[in-house]
Amino acid sequence: MSAPLDPKYLRRPGRSIPVTPKDMEGRVTQFEGLKPDPGAFPDLKDADHARAVYYMLSPGGTAGLPSPIRAQHNFHMAIMVMPKGVRPSTHAHPYNEVFVPLDARFRFYYGDDEAYSVEVGRYGVISVPAGVMRTFENLDDHPAHVMVLFDTPGDPHTDMLITPRDYEKFYQGWVPGMEPPAPGAAKA
């Protein structure tokens, strides 16, 4: 004898809420033609950290620009394009981050001083817990794409923890949206 089905799992006949093609325009983005956000992070132009960040979905556009999908969600989504061997500055967020390598293998380093690491292959998933210091790199010999989900509906740039070395080099005096200086340029 099986237990009675919880009513919340029952399906019922129904109809869609009204939605027009115009309504859907703001809920679709294509990677082709999208421009990277030059002010996403202050280390983007540094040779050891160089990468392009494309925000695909950002509630209210708080993650950066251009973010074509701005409708309310409980997360942000970006695609990063990275050459082999570069790493973002080591940092932690007050929310989970989910990474999905799309066309290469990536190594994710985590913990104080990147004490631990794990390799994640194409279409694998790693969920980095809130508060864990992390960085990562593309292991393959071509520029590669990794999808990133920021598990927060708010501004994903708030309350970040940065290693002291990266704070001094990149983040001191920087605010989100401020374009990083060109390599070799004096810091303001």
Side-chain angles (χ1 to χ4, degrees):
M1 181 183 239
S2 63
L5 185 63
D6 186 327
K8 68 183 172 196
Y9 294 111
L10 293 176
R11 304 301 188 254
R12 61 190 194 280
R15 306 226 6 117
S16 176
I17 64 169
V19 63
T20 67
K22 181 76 175 155
D23 295 332
M24 290 304 287
E25 284 178 12
R27 290 180 167 266
V28 176
T29 188
Q30 303 292 341
F31 187 74
E32 286 74 29
L34 197 59
K35 295 189 181 346
D37 182 354
F41 301 100
D43 62 351
L44 292 178
K45 293 183 180 175
D46 181 79
D48 293 333
H49 306 284
R51 63 204 181 280
V53 179
Y54 298 83
Y55 289 109
M56 308 293 285
L57 183 153
S58 175
T62 56
L65 36 135
S67 176
I69 301 175
R70 296 171 178 252
Q72 186 57 46
H73 288 77
N74 290 319
F75 64 93
H76 299 261
M77 185 175 82
I79 301 283
M80 287 190 198
V81 181
M82 299 173 58
K84 180 178 183 174
V86 302
R87 296 183 188 180
S89 295
T90 303
H91 64 276
H93 292 278
Y95 50 81
N96 298 317
E97 283 183 291
V98 177
F99 296 87
V100 182
L102 300 176
D103 55 3
R105 297 167 303 124
F106 280 78
R107 178 158 301 280
F108 291 83
Y109 302 87
Y110 58 95
D112 286 330
D113 301 316
E114 299 95 34
Y116 309 101
S117 72
V118 62
E119 184 177 314
V120 180
R122 292 174 7 135
Y123 305 112
V125 175
I126 181 171
S127 175
V128 179
V132 171
M133 287 287 191
R134 59 86 183 147
T135 189
F136 54 96
E137 67 181 315
N138 167 12
L139 300 176
D140 289 349
D141 289 326
H142 58 85
H145 301 76
V146 60
M147 181 170 53
V148 186
L149 299 172
F150 305 94
D151 192 10
T152 179
D155 185 339
H157 293 105
T158 58
D159 296 322
M160 289 174 61
L161 297 175
I162 310 296
T163 63
R165 73 170 183 263
D166 288 337
Y167 179 80
E168 293 295 324
K169 188 171 182 181
F170 300 110
Y171 283 86
Q172 191 170 10
W174 180 83
V175 295
M178 178 187 291
E179 247 187 88
K187 193 173 173 183

